Amino acid sequence: MVESPGAAARSPLSRRGFLLGTGLAVGALASGCADASGSGVDTFSAVFKGSGADESLDPGTSHLFIDEARLKALYDGLFEVDDAMRPVPRLATAAEPNADGTRWRITLRDARWHDGAKVTSADVLHTLSRILGPAGQQPFIAATTLDLVDLGQSREVDERTAEIALHRPSFEFRTALAAYGTRIIRAGTRDFRRPVGTGPFRFDSFRPGREMVATSYDGYWDGAPRIGRLRILSAENDARTAAVRSGQADFADDLTPAAAKQMRGDGNLRVQATPNSGIYYFAMKTDRPPFDNADVRRALMRMVDREELVKVALQGDGEISNDVFGKGFQYYAELPQHTFDPDAAKALLRKAGVPNLTIDLFTAPAATGFVEAANLFAEQAKQSGVTVRVRVGSGDTYYAEALKTGQLTMGQSGPLSIPNHFASRLLTGSPQNRTNWHDPEFDALYGQALATASEPERAALYHRMHEILHDRGGFVFWGISSWNSAAAAGYRGIPAGVPNALNWARFDKVAR
């Protein structure tokens, strides 16, 4: 991670910071200028929700939306996912398994690093070895997803072909290679202060909590961007809205429903709402009281009035969820809807021996509606005889703190393929296991699914895993929001994919 430049510099820009014309904002005023051809763009400024000192350019450990937007500009993966979370080839042109799914041969396209060197199979093996090696201060996001890789038996077949051996069969390996945290880094790379990638833009500068600047890479294998200089800025909610409305930014990501509604009447802007994008949840720590009791978890699922939460916290800009992740994506399971039922919740709490339960709910203004949802849920829980004490932390450090502390926390997830959601968040030892979920039956089913070549049979196993979580899991998925973004009118190729997918935050196709 880049060294901290100081607390003040690490804070995402506030609305005041943009409107007062800081050095950063003055620079942004020059954005959106057309180049000499009249169809390209000299400088394009995109503003994302910031997270201060947590922001990073390490492809193996970064975990924020703004990190992903920056990494997408600098690096490529072997595979990425489409809007239905199915893998599509990027640096790889193909990946084929042997008969039992224990060995995969990966063919690379003819691509080059930003310094002109060829991308080789050695780069692929180095990336995998780093992800699977000793974790540093931050865990490698894809470590659990890829822990089936047998590095000792993997090899470079030739410069553009790698053969990856697995400890156990997997017919889902393309999806694993598209997981968050698997972008390919150059062999030998351990320092990411000045990253050299294969993506459409070359690194220029980075200040965590402020901005990254990158310039067009003419040798990009998927065609040189039409943007000469890309700036990805970090800012709070109001500042993102102000920046794009004032013309100080060309694109603003993750707008509140209210802001998006206001902008739809502005002829100078185009507002995009992408459904099935923001997945809101409560996360119960299943390894500590009171949520180490499955009946308490079942009770909580029935203490939540999802309709009211969507109406108030998401300002009606979304739909209810059902404690099953991934609506609209491959392998989603349709299961009976959990409903608000205080009487059923009370009965489950009596069965668990905790009829007058008091719990702490740790939240923060880390995403739209978090604090509002927490306070509303505290009111809803009273109807089940439960006292919820809402504790509000810092939005800048919330996700790192919530991963380790508290009984009950909150979160917003972008879309993720369901196999990778299981692997990165729900298997025993997963690095992002926010519910500290450990279930031997669940783990075994996952292994069985990976070893199943038939996709319908694999889907049936995933369905059973969803049933377990729907019955006694630690997540309460209560709402799904659209993902609102806005761009200055007059641009073509503005990204509109669901977050985490190939076509989200991808600016190399933007032009006038």
Side-chain angles (χ1 to χ4, degrees):
M1 182 177 289
V2 174
E3 292 181 3
S4 313
R10 292 198 304 267
S11 299
L13 280 177
S14 65
R15 180 176 183 275
R16 181 177 173 81
F18 263 105
L19 295 181
L20 286 181
T22 63
L24 180 61
V26 169
L29 285 169
S31 67
C33 300
D35 68 6
S37 71
S39 58
V41 181
D42 281 346
T43 299
F44 188 90
S45 296
V47 58
F48 288 76
K49 182 174 179 57
S51 195
D54 278 356
E55 296 174 16
S56 165
L57 294 181
D58 186 332
T61 62
S62 301
H63 58 95
L64 303 168
F65 285 122
I66 189 168
D67 293 336
E68 176 65 3
R70 288 165 173 159
L71 293 172
K72 190 181 287 278
L74 300 175
Y75 290 96
D76 291 299
L78 293 173
F79 288 83
E80 294 196 42
V81 288
D82 64 14
D83 285 356
M85 300 291 112
R86 294 169 300 212
V88 291
R90 297 297 289 164
L91 278 182
T93 57
E96 298 299 332
N98 64 357
D100 65 1
T102 57
R103 196 168 285 272
W104 285 73
R105 186 159 287 209
I106 298 169
T107 306
L108 300 175
R109 68 176 66 253
D110 184 11
R112 292 180 180 269
W113 297 97
H114 293 158
D115 62 3
K118 285 185 177 179
V119 176
T120 68
S121 52
D123 300 320
V124 174
L125 291 176
H126 172 74
T127 302
L128 295 177
S129 67
R130 180 172 187 259
I131 291 169
L132 296 171
Q137 195 170 12
Q138 298 289 331
F140 291 109
I141 301 296
T144 305
T145 306
L146 295 179
D147 72 352
L148 75 174
V149 171
D150 183 349
L151 279 174
Q153 297 299 314
S154 300
R155 66 189 180 104
E156 304 168 35
V157 176
D158 58 38
E159 194 172 55
R160 287 173 55 187
T161 308
E163 188 172 88
I164 308 300
L166 306 182
H167 290 297
R168 51 190 182 277
S170 175
F171 289 93
E172 206 71 85
F173 193 51
R174 294 186 192 88
T175 303
L177 291 174
Y180 200 84
T182 60
R183 293 185 184 280
I184 299 301
I185 61 172
R186 192 168 176 181
T189 304
R190 290 177 176 79
D191 187 336
F192 295 91
R193 285 177 293 185
R194 295 196 63 81
V196 175
T198 59
F201 294 92
R202 295 175 193 261
F203 174 83
D204 187 2
S205 64
F206 175 49
R207 289 186 291 165
R210 301 289 281 183
E211 69 169 341
M212 183 195 80
V213 180
T215 53
S216 173
Y217 174 39
D218 291 340
Y220 187 49
W221 60 267
D222 199 19
R226 304 304 303 272
I227 294 173
R229 189 170 72 135
L230 174 67
R231 305 169 74 239
I232 296 183
L233 310 177
S234 173
E236 298 168 352
N237 285 347
D238 288 349
R240 296 197 300 281
T241 302
V244 74
R245 294 195 79 171
S246 66
Q248 292 181 327
D250 303 292
F251 174 88
D253 180 68
D254 192 12
L255 301 172
T256 65
K261 185 176 181 181
Q262 289 177 356
M263 290 185 192
R264 287 193 176 94
D266 187 334
N268 295 316
L269 297 172
R270 275 197 221 160
V271 178
Q272 174 74 34
T274 304
N276 293 334
S277 294
I279 301 152
Y280 285 73
Y281 61 82
F282 295 115
M284 300 175 270
K285 292 285 195 306
T286 61
D287 63 340
R288 63 194 68 168
F291 299 117
D292 55 351
N293 186 315
D295 283 324
V296 177
R297 300 197 295 272
R298 292 180 179 117
L300 198 106
M301 292 174 185
R302 290 154 180 84
M303 289 160 49
V304 179
D305 186 339
R306 292 167 172 77
E307 285 83 1
E308 278 298 302
L309 285 171
V310 169
K311 181 179 177 183
V312 174
L314 302 185
Q315 301 170 43
D317 189 17
E319 57 182 306
I320 64 169
S321 188
N322 186 31
D323 309 334
V324 178
F325 184 88
K327 185 172 184 179
F329 305 146
Q330 186 182 31
Y331 303 129
Y332 178 75
E334 293 286 355
L335 294 171
Q337 177 68 50
H338 283 156
T339 59
F340 181 49
D341 190 341
D343 290 336
K346 287 178 183 176
L348 286 162
L349 293 173
R350 285 195 299 272
K351 182 182 176 186
V354 287
N356 300 307
L357 187 63
T358 297
I359 53 179
D360 288 339
L361 170 54
F362 179 42
T363 188
T368 299
F370 267 26
V371 177
E372 293 84 353
N375 288 323
L376 180 55
F377 173 63
E379 291 300 314
Q380 294 171 357
K382 290 178 182 176
Q383 297 184 54
S384 301
V386 173
T387 300
V388 175
R389 297 181 299 210
V390 176
R391 296 192 298 115
V392 180
S394 166
D396 285 350
T397 57
Y398 177 70
Y399 280 107
E401 292 182 66
L403 183 61
K404 299 176 181 175
T405 64
Q407 296 173 308
L408 181 64
T409 64
M410 299 180 66
Q412 179 203 30
S413 170
L416 189 67
S417 77
I418 284 170
N420 288 346
H421 165 67
F422 290 157
S424 64
R425 298 169 175 167
L426 290 160
L427 294 184
T428 300
S430 298
Q432 293 294 314
N433 195 336
R434 295 185 175 276
T435 60
N436 293 347
W437 174 252
H438 169 62
D439 187 296
E441 181 186 2
F442 185 90
D443 289 353
L445 284 167
Y446 183 75
Q448 188 180 347
L450 294 192
T452 302
S454 161
E455 187 173 304
E457 292 176 14
R458 201 160 62 239
L461 292 163
Y462 290 141
H463 188 96
R464 174 58 190 145
M465 296 171 73
H466 279 301
E467 287 178 329
I468 290 172
L469 298 170
H470 187 259
D471 171 53
R472 60 177 189 271
F475 279 119
V476 175
F477 295 107
W478 56 265
I480 308 171
S481 68
S482 297
W483 199 267
N484 297 309
S485 61
Y491 286 111
R492 295 178 286 114
I494 291 293
V498 298
N500 295 335
L502 172 63
N503 291 322
W504 175 78
R506 185 181 175 201
F507 298 103
D508 55 306
K509 304 303 179 188
V510 171
R512 285 286 193 187

